[in-house]
Amino acid sequence: MHYDLIIIGGGLVGRSLACALSQAPLKIALIDANEQNLPDPRLIALNYGSVHFLEKLGLWPCLAPLSTPIHEVHVSHRGRFGATRLSAQTAHLPTLGSVLRASDINQALDETLSQARNPGQFTEWRPARVTTLTLHEKKSTLTLEYQGVESRLTGNLIIAADGSHSTIRRLLSFDTHTVDYQQSALVTTTRLGRPHENRAYERFLDEGALAMLPLKDKETQDRLCATIWTAGTPAIAALQSLEEPAFLQALQTQFGYRLGRLTGINRRAVFPLQLIQVKNPLQGNVLLIGNAAHTIHPIAAQGLNLALYEIAHLSQLLLRNLREQEPLGAGLAENLSRFQPKMNLLFSHYLSQIFAAGFWGSNFARQLGMVGLDLCPPIKKKLGRRMAMESIQWLTS
Ligand SMILES: Cc1cc2nc3c(=O)[nH]c(=O)nc-3n(C[C@H](O)[C@H](O)[C@H](O)COP(=O)(O)OP(=O)(O)OC[C@H]3O[C@@H](n4cnc5c(N)ncnc54)[C@H](O)[C@@H]3O)c2cc1C
């Protein structure tokens, strides 16, 4: 079977790309190794630019009632002087972004895709696993296992969004830089003694960091937040094994009382953390995007934001190829540097290193990071805008 475009990986990134191209006259295959709608406990902060992009994809009518806007970000270090605030007002934006459950984004992508996709043009293979991939100049060939049968597919362009443990990255031996942070992230939702007032908190600890992001649900309204606690893997394993009252106590001690008394938590999930960065994500007509190309520390909440930025650029280029009757993917190699906002990768990696336990052992560096930003409003303003917008002109044009 031949397709114009094969997308491998139907997670948040693969399906966002499929959504962005759903109206294009393209024969598209989407392959995913899992059943649809597996539970995904991740809680995601999207910047203002990403929210605009999801609006453009038609997802916002589903997502708006489920999203919680962030009006202010408060960054501090436990037990030390110095805090910095980034506000939507200072950045001259309506909001700095929104917090969403990954499962809600998945659901909205499913609904939008099932309405928007071009019947007969779009085929979903799942659960199906790619086992081989051979590069050819004009169309590459892959084999996949689907319902116990091996099938052979060819594609003019293959885009792999198959996550941090990408099979495609391994099959084609992409040159990859990997750092095992020896850290994990614990994710849960926490019920609050008082309303969050749409303020997000990032708190650096002696070991690791704690993010409390505003969230809502029908029951608790605005007395709920997304908790993302990163620390060394043994420390996170210990937190995961605590009974709820002991965990709440530990959380309250580390976070303090800015959100009042913390009254309860929900299910806890743990994710191991690493940095994966592919040096050049393009080989022939195979391109890696999303976590397959760059997996970053969640400290700066940028992984999906980066990928949506990539998708916005990429889909524009592919639609231009169609308009100008060029081969699909023409100009990709030349435009790659524009797709990849390296600053963000560096920023996120820098933060995770600065605040990792034991790095330099330096209180000075931490204070400098926090207070330095506060002492320097133009930098803070620029940082706030950059975190929030990520070249919004590009995303929304
Ligand atoms: C704790 C935590 C908090 C985060 N918070 C934020 C945040 O606040 N903001 C933000 O922007 N980002 C955040 N991120 C990052 C964000 O979740 C990821 O960047 C994003 O979800 C990556 O999506 P993806 O589709 O590339 O990968 P994945 O979600 O891993 O999806 C990969 C897909 O590929 C499929 N697959 C795998 N192997 C194969 C194969 N061989 N064949 C076919 N299919 C295959 C899988 O089934 C899966 O569906 C966070 C991450 C973590 C861990």
Side-chain angles (χ1 to χ4, degrees), residues 8-14 31-34 42-45 128-130 161-163 167 185 187 228 271 290-291 298 301-305:
I8 302 170
L12 292 176
V13 172
I31 303 169
D32 196 276
N34 287 311
R42 282 176 292 189
L43 299 154
I44 305 279
R129 198 161 273 281
V130 176
D162 55 346
T167 305
V187 176
I228 299 116
F271 298 83
N291 269 17
Q302 289 299 312
L304 184 60
N305 285 308

PDB file of all heavy atoms in Angstrom, residues 8-14 31-34 42-45 128-130 161-163 167 185 187 228 271 290-291 298 301-305, ligand 1:
ATOM      1  N   ILE A   8       4.144   7.878  11.996  1.00  0.00           N
ATOM      2  CA  ILE A   8       4.328   6.751  12.922  1.00  0.00           C
ATOM      3  C   ILE A   8       4.258   7.317  14.345  1.00  0.00           C
ATOM      4  O   ILE A   8       5.076   8.158  14.722  1.00  0.00           O
ATOM      5  CB  ILE A   8       5.667   6.043  12.674  1.00  0.00           C
ATOM      6  CG1 ILE A   8       5.717   5.569  11.221  1.00  0.00           C
ATOM      7  CG2 ILE A   8       5.837   4.849  13.634  1.00  0.00           C
ATOM      8  CD1 ILE A   8       7.068   5.066  10.787  1.00  0.00           C
ATOM      9  N   GLY A   9       3.294   6.843  15.115  1.00  0.00           N
ATOM     10  CA  GLY A   9       3.090   7.359  16.468  1.00  0.00           C
ATOM     11  C   GLY A   9       1.848   8.235  16.490  1.00  0.00           C
ATOM     12  O   GLY A   9       1.814   9.281  15.838  1.00  0.00           O
ATOM     13  N   GLY A  10       0.847   7.781  17.200  1.00  0.00           N
ATOM     14  CA  GLY A  10      -0.411   8.544  17.279  1.00  0.00           C
ATOM     15  C   GLY A  10      -0.633   9.078  18.675  1.00  0.00           C
ATOM     16  O   GLY A  10      -1.736   9.040  19.204  1.00  0.00           O
ATOM     17  N   GLY A  11       0.441   9.592  19.303  1.00  0.00           N
ATOM     18  CA  GLY A  11       0.311  10.263  20.601  1.00  0.00           C
ATOM     19  C   GLY A  11      -0.143  11.701  20.359  1.00  0.00           C
ATOM     20  O   GLY A  11      -0.691  12.042  19.301  1.00  0.00           O
ATOM     21  N   LEU A  12       0.112  12.569  21.329  1.00  0.00           N
ATOM     22  CA  LEU A  12      -0.335  13.960  21.210  1.00  0.00           C
ATOM     23  C   LEU A  12       0.270  14.619  19.967  1.00  0.00           C
ATOM     24  O   LEU A  12      -0.388  15.398  19.279  1.00  0.00           O
ATOM     25  CB  LEU A  12       0.085  14.747  22.459  1.00  0.00           C
ATOM     26  CG  LEU A  12      -0.617  14.354  23.766  1.00  0.00           C
ATOM     27  CD1 LEU A  12      -0.036  15.127  24.943  1.00  0.00           C
ATOM     28  CD2 LEU A  12      -2.119  14.614  23.665  1.00  0.00           C
ATOM     29  N   VAL A  13       1.519  14.257  19.672  1.00  0.00           N
ATOM     30  CA  VAL A  13       2.217  14.937  18.578  1.00  0.00           C
ATOM     31  C   VAL A  13       1.777  14.381  17.218  1.00  0.00           C
ATOM     32  O   VAL A  13       1.408  15.143  16.311  1.00  0.00           O
ATOM     33  CB  VAL A  13       3.748  14.822  18.791  1.00  0.00           C
ATOM     34  CG1 VAL A  13       4.521  15.327  17.589  1.00  0.00           C
ATOM     35  CG2 VAL A  13       4.131  15.609  20.040  1.00  0.00           C
ATOM     36  N   GLY A  14       1.797  13.061  17.068  1.00  0.00           N
ATOM     37  CA  GLY A  14       1.414  12.455  15.780  1.00  0.00           C
ATOM     38  C   GLY A  14       0.000  12.845  15.386  1.00  0.00           C
ATOM     39  O   GLY A  14      -0.271  13.210  14.236  1.00  0.00           O
ATOM     40  N   ILE A  31       0.080   5.288  12.151  1.00  0.00           N
ATOM     41  CA  ILE A  31       0.345   3.978  12.765  1.00  0.00           C
ATOM     42  C   ILE A  31       0.629   4.182  14.246  1.00  0.00           C
ATOM     43  O   ILE A  31       1.457   5.020  14.611  1.00  0.00           O
ATOM     44  CB  ILE A  31       1.599   3.332  12.116  1.00  0.00           C
ATOM     45  CG1 ILE A  31       1.406   3.201  10.609  1.00  0.00           C
ATOM     46  CG2 ILE A  31       1.920   1.984  12.753  1.00  0.00           C
ATOM     47  CD1 ILE A  31       2.687   2.829   9.867  1.00  0.00           C
ATOM     48  N   ASP A  32      -0.031   3.424  15.098  1.00  0.00           N
ATOM     49  CA  ASP A  32       0.324   3.496  16.519  1.00  0.00           C
ATOM     50  C   ASP A  32       0.373   2.102  17.128  1.00  0.00           C
ATOM     51  O   ASP A  32      -0.420   1.220  16.774  1.00  0.00           O
ATOM     52  CB  ASP A  32      -0.637   4.375  17.315  1.00  0.00           C
ATOM     53  CG  ASP A  32      -0.032   4.747  18.666  1.00  0.00           C
ATOM     54  OD1 ASP A  32      -0.147   3.957  19.623  1.00  0.00           O
ATOM     55  OD2 ASP A  32       0.627   5.802  18.751  1.00  0.00           O
ATOM     56  N   ALA A  33       1.310   1.939  18.059  1.00  0.00           N
ATOM     57  CA  ALA A  33       1.545   0.617  18.652  1.00  0.00           C
ATOM     58  C   ALA A  33       0.464   0.233  19.661  1.00  0.00           C
ATOM     59  O   ALA A  33       0.334  -0.940  20.004  1.00  0.00           O
ATOM     60  CB  ALA A  33       2.905   0.610  19.334  1.00  0.00           C
ATOM     61  N   ASN A  34      -0.307   1.213  20.142  1.00  0.00           N
ATOM     62  CA  ASN A  34      -1.278   0.923  21.214  1.00  0.00           C
ATOM     63  C   ASN A  34      -2.706   1.085  20.761  1.00  0.00           C
ATOM     64  O   ASN A  34      -2.992   1.713  19.751  1.00  0.00           O
ATOM     65  CB  ASN A  34      -1.026   1.853  22.401  1.00  0.00           C
ATOM     66  CG  ASN A  34       0.224   1.438  23.145  1.00  0.00           C
ATOM     67  OD1 ASN A  34       0.400   0.268  23.465  1.00  0.00           O
ATOM     68  ND2 ASN A  34       1.104   2.393  23.382  1.00  0.00           N
ATOM     69  N   ARG A  42      -0.618  12.496  32.442  1.00  0.00           N
ATOM     70  CA  ARG A  42       0.184  13.728  32.405  1.00  0.00           C
ATOM     71  C   ARG A  42      -0.711  14.971  32.450  1.00  0.00           C
ATOM     72  O   ARG A  42      -1.815  14.976  31.905  1.00  0.00           O
ATOM     73  CB  ARG A  42       1.035  13.769  31.133  1.00  0.00           C
ATOM     74  CG  ARG A  42       2.255  12.883  31.222  1.00  0.00           C
ATOM     75  CD  ARG A  42       3.033  12.851  29.940  1.00  0.00           C
ATOM     76  NE  ARG A  42       2.306  12.190  28.870  1.00  0.00           N
ATOM     77  CZ  ARG A  42       2.841  11.877  27.693  1.00  0.00           C
ATOM     78  NH1 ARG A  42       4.092  12.164  27.436  1.00  0.00           N
ATOM     79  NH2 ARG A  42       2.109  11.286  26.763  1.00  0.00           N
ATOM     80  N   LEU A  43      -0.206  16.006  33.093  1.00  0.00           N
ATOM     81  CA  LEU A  43      -0.919  17.287  33.182  1.00  0.00           C
ATOM     82  C   LEU A  43      -0.026  18.304  32.491  1.00  0.00           C
ATOM     83  O   LEU A  43       1.158  18.404  32.796  1.00  0.00           O
ATOM     84  CB  LEU A  43      -1.137  17.644  34.654  1.00  0.00           C
ATOM     85  CG  LEU A  43      -1.989  16.590  35.379  1.00  0.00           C
ATOM     86  CD1 LEU A  43      -1.701  16.575  36.865  1.00  0.00           C
ATOM     87  CD2 LEU A  43      -3.454  16.806  35.111  1.00  0.00           C
ATOM     88  N   ILE A  44      -0.591  19.020  31.550  1.00  0.00           N
ATOM     89  CA  ILE A  44       0.244  19.773  30.613  1.00  0.00           C
ATOM     90  C   ILE A  44      -0.053  21.263  30.678  1.00  0.00           C
ATOM     91  O   ILE A  44      -1.216  21.674  30.585  1.00  0.00           O
ATOM     92  CB  ILE A  44      -0.052  19.296  29.159  1.00  0.00           C
ATOM     93  CG1 ILE A  44       0.139  17.778  29.019  1.00  0.00           C
ATOM     94  CG2 ILE A  44       0.756  20.054  28.143  1.00  0.00           C
ATOM     95  CD1 ILE A  44       1.541  17.318  28.837  1.00  0.00           C
ATOM     96  N   ALA A  45       1.010  22.073  30.812  1.00  0.00           N
ATOM     97  CA  ALA A  45       0.856  23.530  30.704  1.00  0.00           C
ATOM     98  C   ALA A  45       1.208  23.923  29.279  1.00  0.00           C
ATOM     99  O   ALA A  45       2.322  23.656  28.815  1.00  0.00           O
ATOM    100  CB  ALA A  45       1.792  24.219  31.690  1.00  0.00           C
ATOM    101  N   ALA A 128      -0.549  -1.417  15.912  1.00  0.00           N
ATOM    102  CA  ALA A 128       0.345  -1.954  14.879  1.00  0.00           C
ATOM    103  C   ALA A 128       1.763  -1.509  15.200  1.00  0.00           C
ATOM    104  O   ALA A 128       1.972  -0.387  15.650  1.00  0.00           O
ATOM    105  CB  ALA A 128      -0.067  -1.423  13.519  1.00  0.00           C
ATOM    106  N   ARG A 129       2.706  -2.360  14.956  1.00  0.00           N
ATOM    107  CA  ARG A 129       4.078  -2.073  15.347  1.00  0.00           C
ATOM    108  C   ARG A 129       4.979  -2.106  14.115  1.00  0.00           C
ATOM    109  O   ARG A 129       4.930  -3.073  13.350  1.00  0.00           O
ATOM    110  CB  ARG A 129       4.539  -3.139  16.344  1.00  0.00           C
ATOM    111  CG  ARG A 129       5.741  -2.765  17.152  1.00  0.00           C
ATOM    112  CD  ARG A 129       5.833  -3.638  18.381  1.00  0.00           C
ATOM    113  NE  ARG A 129       5.078  -3.111  19.509  1.00  0.00           N
ATOM    114  CZ  ARG A 129       5.499  -2.122  20.302  1.00  0.00           C
ATOM    115  NH1 ARG A 129       6.660  -1.541  20.090  1.00  0.00           N
ATOM    116  NH2 ARG A 129       4.766  -1.704  21.305  1.00  0.00           N
ATOM    117  N   VAL A 130       5.745  -1.042  13.913  1.00  0.00           N
ATOM    118  CA  VAL A 130       6.686  -1.019  12.780  1.00  0.00           C
ATOM    119  C   VAL A 130       7.877  -1.899  13.126  1.00  0.00           C
ATOM    120  O   VAL A 130       8.465  -1.756  14.199  1.00  0.00           O
ATOM    121  CB  VAL A 130       7.147   0.430  12.496  1.00  0.00           C
ATOM    122  CG1 VAL A 130       8.198   0.458  11.398  1.00  0.00           C
ATOM    123  CG2 VAL A 130       5.963   1.303  12.144  1.00  0.00           C
ATOM    124  N   ALA A 161       6.689  10.152  15.069  1.00  0.00           N
ATOM    125  CA  ALA A 161       6.392  10.817  16.351  1.00  0.00           C
ATOM    126  C   ALA A 161       6.161   9.689  17.349  1.00  0.00           C
ATOM    127  O   ALA A 161       5.148   9.664  18.036  1.00  0.00           O
ATOM    128  CB  ALA A 161       5.166  11.700  16.197  1.00  0.00           C
ATOM    129  N   ASP A 162       7.106   8.743  17.381  1.00  0.00           N
ATOM    130  CA  ASP A 162       6.864   7.532  18.177  1.00  0.00           C
ATOM    131  C   ASP A 162       7.551   7.587  19.543  1.00  0.00           C
ATOM    132  O   ASP A 162       7.919   6.560  20.109  1.00  0.00           O
ATOM    133  CB  ASP A 162       7.222   6.259  17.395  1.00  0.00           C
ATOM    134  CG  ASP A 162       8.637   6.246  16.858  1.00  0.00           C
ATOM    135  OD1 ASP A 162       9.277   7.313  16.846  1.00  0.00           O
ATOM    136  OD2 ASP A 162       9.121   5.174  16.466  1.00  0.00           O
ATOM    137  N   GLY A 163       7.691   8.812  20.067  1.00  0.00           N
ATOM    138  CA  GLY A 163       8.033   8.988  21.477  1.00  0.00           C
ATOM    139  C   GLY A 163       9.499   8.787  21.832  1.00  0.00           C
ATOM    140  O   GLY A 163      10.358   8.531  20.977  1.00  0.00           O
ATOM    141  N   THR A 167      11.213   3.691  17.912  1.00  0.00           N
ATOM    142  CA  THR A 167      11.720   2.551  17.128  1.00  0.00           C
ATOM    143  C   THR A 167      12.400   3.050  15.855  1.00  0.00           C
ATOM    144  O   THR A 167      13.407   2.507  15.420  1.00  0.00           O
ATOM    145  CB  THR A 167      10.534   1.636  16.718  1.00  0.00           C
ATOM    146  OG1 THR A 167       9.836   1.271  17.887  1.00  0.00           O
ATOM    147  CG2 THR A 167      10.991   0.405  15.983  1.00  0.00           C
ATOM    148  N   ALA A 185       9.709  12.139  37.675  1.00  0.00           N
ATOM    149  CA  ALA A 185       8.655  13.115  37.983  1.00  0.00           C
ATOM    150  C   ALA A 185       7.457  12.370  38.544  1.00  0.00           C
ATOM    151  O   ALA A 185       7.044  11.360  37.984  1.00  0.00           O
ATOM    152  CB  ALA A 185       8.247  13.866  36.724  1.00  0.00           C
ATOM    153  N   VAL A 187       3.525  12.775  39.297  1.00  0.00           N
ATOM    154  CA  VAL A 187       2.422  13.625  38.863  1.00  0.00           C
ATOM    155  C   VAL A 187       1.158  13.237  39.624  1.00  0.00           C
ATOM    156  O   VAL A 187       0.838  12.056  39.729  1.00  0.00           O
ATOM    157  CB  VAL A 187       2.173  13.429  37.347  1.00  0.00           C
ATOM    158  CG1 VAL A 187       0.960  14.219  36.883  1.00  0.00           C
ATOM    159  CG2 VAL A 187       3.410  13.839  36.551  1.00  0.00           C
ATOM    160  N   ILE A 228       3.439  18.529  39.957  1.00  0.00           N
ATOM    161  CA  ILE A 228       4.507  17.797  39.271  1.00  0.00           C
ATOM    162  C   ILE A 228       5.754  17.979  40.126  1.00  0.00           C
ATOM    163  O   ILE A 228       6.277  19.086  40.272  1.00  0.00           O
ATOM    164  CB  ILE A 228       4.736  18.322  37.827  1.00  0.00           C
ATOM    165  CG1 ILE A 228       3.446  18.131  37.009  1.00  0.00           C
ATOM    166  CG2 ILE A 228       5.852  17.547  37.129  1.00  0.00           C
ATOM    167  CD1 ILE A 228       2.838  19.374  36.555  1.00  0.00           C
ATOM    168  N   PHE A 271       7.161   9.207  36.201  1.00  0.00           N
ATOM    169  CA  PHE A 271       7.819   9.150  34.894  1.00  0.00           C
ATOM    170  C   PHE A 271       9.332   9.332  35.069  1.00  0.00           C
ATOM    171  O   PHE A 271       9.752  10.338  35.656  1.00  0.00           O
ATOM    172  CB  PHE A 271       7.322  10.299  33.998  1.00  0.00           C
ATOM    173  CG  PHE A 271       5.848  10.246  33.716  1.00  0.00           C
ATOM    174  CD1 PHE A 271       4.924  10.759  34.627  1.00  0.00           C
ATOM    175  CD2 PHE A 271       5.377   9.668  32.553  1.00  0.00           C
ATOM    176  CE1 PHE A 271       3.568  10.697  34.380  1.00  0.00           C
ATOM    177  CE2 PHE A 271       4.018   9.605  32.292  1.00  0.00           C
ATOM    178  CZ  PHE A 271       3.108  10.123  33.211  1.00  0.00           C
ATOM    179  N   GLY A 290       8.664  15.667  17.805  1.00  0.00           N
ATOM    180  CA  GLY A 290       8.164  15.415  19.166  1.00  0.00           C
ATOM    181  C   GLY A 290       9.222  14.743  20.027  1.00  0.00           C
ATOM    182  O   GLY A 290      10.434  14.932  19.824  1.00  0.00           O
ATOM    183  N   ASN A 291       8.768  13.941  20.980  1.00  0.00           N
ATOM    184  CA  ASN A 291       9.695  13.303  21.914  1.00  0.00           C
ATOM    185  C   ASN A 291      10.704  12.393  21.210  1.00  0.00           C
ATOM    186  O   ASN A 291      11.786  12.150  21.735  1.00  0.00           O
ATOM    187  CB  ASN A 291       8.920  12.476  22.946  1.00  0.00           C
ATOM    188  CG  ASN A 291       8.569  13.292  24.176  1.00  0.00           C
ATOM    189  OD1 ASN A 291       8.613  14.518  24.137  1.00  0.00           O
ATOM    190  ND2 ASN A 291       8.221  12.631  25.256  1.00  0.00           N
ATOM    191  N   PRO A 298      10.768  18.082  32.237  1.00  0.00           N
ATOM    192  CA  PRO A 298       9.497  18.818  32.279  1.00  0.00           C
ATOM    193  C   PRO A 298       9.546  20.094  33.112  1.00  0.00           C
ATOM    194  O   PRO A 298       8.542  20.787  33.241  1.00  0.00           O
ATOM    195  CB  PRO A 298       8.527  17.806  32.894  1.00  0.00           C
ATOM    196  CG  PRO A 298       9.358  16.851  33.648  1.00  0.00           C
ATOM    197  CD  PRO A 298      10.709  16.821  32.998  1.00  0.00           C
ATOM    198  N   ALA A 301       8.212  22.901  31.366  1.00  0.00           N
ATOM    199  CA  ALA A 301       6.927  22.610  30.712  1.00  0.00           C
ATOM    200  C   ALA A 301       6.959  22.954  29.226  1.00  0.00           C
ATOM    201  O   ALA A 301       6.114  23.711  28.732  1.00  0.00           O
ATOM    202  CB  ALA A 301       5.804  23.362  31.434  1.00  0.00           C
ATOM    203  N   GLN A 302       7.939  22.441  28.525  1.00  0.00           N
ATOM    204  CA  GLN A 302       8.102  22.864  27.134  1.00  0.00           C
ATOM    205  C   GLN A 302       7.983  21.745  26.088  1.00  0.00           C
ATOM    206  O   GLN A 302       7.932  22.034  24.900  1.00  0.00           O
ATOM    207  CB  GLN A 302       9.482  23.535  26.957  1.00  0.00           C
ATOM    208  CG  GLN A 302       9.598  24.887  27.615  1.00  0.00           C
ATOM    209  CD  GLN A 302       8.612  25.896  27.051  1.00  0.00           C
ATOM    210  OE1 GLN A 302       8.481  26.047  25.850  1.00  0.00           O
ATOM    211  NE2 GLN A 302       7.898  26.566  27.929  1.00  0.00           N
ATOM    212  N   GLY A 303       7.950  20.463  26.511  1.00  0.00           N
ATOM    213  CA  GLY A 303       8.029  19.368  25.529  1.00  0.00           C
ATOM    214  C   GLY A 303       6.958  19.434  24.453  1.00  0.00           C
ATOM    215  O   GLY A 303       7.261  19.450  23.252  1.00  0.00           O
ATOM    216  N   LEU A 304       5.711  19.491  24.860  1.00  0.00           N
ATOM    217  CA  LEU A 304       4.635  19.518  23.862  1.00  0.00           C
ATOM    218  C   LEU A 304       4.588  20.892  23.176  1.00  0.00           C
ATOM    219  O   LEU A 304       4.306  20.982  21.984  1.00  0.00           O
ATOM    220  CB  LEU A 304       3.289  19.194  24.522  1.00  0.00           C
ATOM    221  CG  LEU A 304       2.119  19.093  23.549  1.00  0.00           C
ATOM    222  CD1 LEU A 304       2.342  18.003  22.507  1.00  0.00           C
ATOM    223  CD2 LEU A 304       0.817  18.830  24.282  1.00  0.00           C
ATOM    224  N   ASN A 305       4.906  21.942  23.933  1.00  0.00           N
ATOM    225  CA  ASN A 305       4.934  23.273  23.312  1.00  0.00           C
ATOM    226  C   ASN A 305       5.919  23.306  22.144  1.00  0.00           C
ATOM    227  O   ASN A 305       5.617  23.825  21.077  1.00  0.00           O
ATOM    228  CB  ASN A 305       5.328  24.327  24.354  1.00  0.00           C
ATOM    229  CG  ASN A 305       4.184  24.624  25.319  1.00  0.00           C
ATOM    230  OD1 ASN A 305       3.074  24.920  24.894  1.00  0.00           O
ATOM    231  ND2 ASN A 305       4.444  24.508  26.608  1.00  0.00           N
TER     232      ASN A 305
HETATM  233  C1  LIG B   1       5.647  14.570  33.934  1.00  0.00           C
HETATM  234  C2  LIG B   1       5.605  15.280  32.625  1.00  0.00           C
HETATM  235  C3  LIG B   1       5.051  16.547  32.550  1.00  0.00           C
HETATM  236  C4  LIG B   1       5.047  17.230  31.342  1.00  0.00           C
HETATM  237  N1  LIG B   1       4.552  18.503  31.326  1.00  0.00           N
HETATM  238  C5  LIG B   1       4.554  19.186  30.165  1.00  0.00           C
HETATM  239  C6  LIG B   1       4.029  20.515  30.110  1.00  0.00           C
HETATM  240  O1  LIG B   1       3.549  21.042  31.106  1.00  0.00           O
HETATM  241  N2  LIG B   1       4.062  21.164  28.914  1.00  0.00           N
HETATM  242  C7  LIG B   1       4.573  20.604  27.788  1.00  0.00           C
HETATM  243  O2  LIG B   1       4.579  21.255  26.738  1.00  0.00           O
HETATM  244  N3  LIG B   1       5.079  19.349  27.822  1.00  0.00           N
HETATM  245  C8  LIG B   1       5.074  18.631  28.966  1.00  0.00           C
HETATM  246  N4  LIG B   1       5.556  17.355  28.990  1.00  0.00           N
HETATM  247  C9  LIG B   1       6.094  16.765  27.756  1.00  0.00           C
HETATM  248  C10 LIG B   1       4.976  16.194  26.864  1.00  0.00           C
HETATM  249  O3  LIG B   1       4.151  15.340  27.612  1.00  0.00           O
HETATM  250  C11 LIG B   1       5.624  15.443  25.709  1.00  0.00           C
HETATM  251  O4  LIG B   1       6.570  16.261  25.082  1.00  0.00           O
HETATM  252  C12 LIG B   1       4.610  15.055  24.638  1.00  0.00           C
HETATM  253  O5  LIG B   1       3.501  14.429  25.225  1.00  0.00           O
HETATM  254  C13 LIG B   1       5.295  14.138  23.625  1.00  0.00           C
HETATM  255  O6  LIG B   1       4.336  13.553  22.791  1.00  0.00           O
HETATM  256  P1  LIG B   1       4.767  12.511  21.664  1.00  0.00           P
HETATM  257  O7  LIG B   1       3.512  12.250  20.891  1.00  0.00           O
HETATM  258  O8  LIG B   1       5.991  12.969  20.963  1.00  0.00           O
HETATM  259  O9  LIG B   1       5.213  11.204  22.475  1.00  0.00           O
HETATM  260  P2  LIG B   1       4.308  10.162  23.242  1.00  0.00           P
HETATM  261  O10 LIG B   1       3.236  10.846  23.990  1.00  0.00           O
HETATM  262  O11 LIG B   1       5.240   9.279  23.990  1.00  0.00           O
HETATM  263  O12 LIG B   1       3.599   9.311  22.088  1.00  0.00           O
HETATM  264  C14 LIG B   1       4.304   8.398  21.296  1.00  0.00           C
HETATM  265  C15 LIG B   1       3.303   7.511  20.573  1.00  0.00           C
HETATM  266  O13 LIG B   1       4.027   6.639  19.712  1.00  0.00           O
HETATM  267  C16 LIG B   1       3.514   5.322  19.837  1.00  0.00           C
HETATM  268  N5  LIG B   1       4.603   4.376  19.492  1.00  0.00           N
HETATM  269  C17 LIG B   1       5.701   4.091  20.203  1.00  0.00           C
HETATM  270  N6  LIG B   1       6.458   3.184  19.541  1.00  0.00           N
HETATM  271  C18 LIG B   1       5.819   2.915  18.391  1.00  0.00           C
HETATM  272  C19 LIG B   1       6.089   2.069  17.275  1.00  0.00           C
HETATM  273  N7  LIG B   1       7.187   1.311  17.217  1.00  0.00           N
HETATM  274  N8  LIG B   1       5.224   2.003  16.247  1.00  0.00           N
HETATM  275  C20 LIG B   1       4.095   2.755  16.291  1.00  0.00           C
HETATM  276  N9  LIG B   1       3.790   3.583  17.324  1.00  0.00           N
HETATM  277  C21 LIG B   1       4.631   3.669  18.342  1.00  0.00           C
HETATM  278  C22 LIG B   1       3.026   5.229  21.271  1.00  0.00           C
HETATM  279  O14 LIG B   1       2.008   4.245  21.403  1.00  0.00           O
HETATM  280  C23 LIG B   1       2.497   6.639  21.532  1.00  0.00           C
HETATM  281  O15 LIG B   1       1.117   6.747  21.207  1.00  0.00           O
HETATM  282  C24 LIG B   1       5.585  16.644  30.177  1.00  0.00           C
HETATM  283  C25 LIG B   1       6.118  15.351  30.257  1.00  0.00           C
HETATM  284  C26 LIG B   1       6.132  14.675  31.462  1.00  0.00           C
HETATM  285  C27 LIG B   1       6.719  13.286  31.527  1.00  0.00           C
END
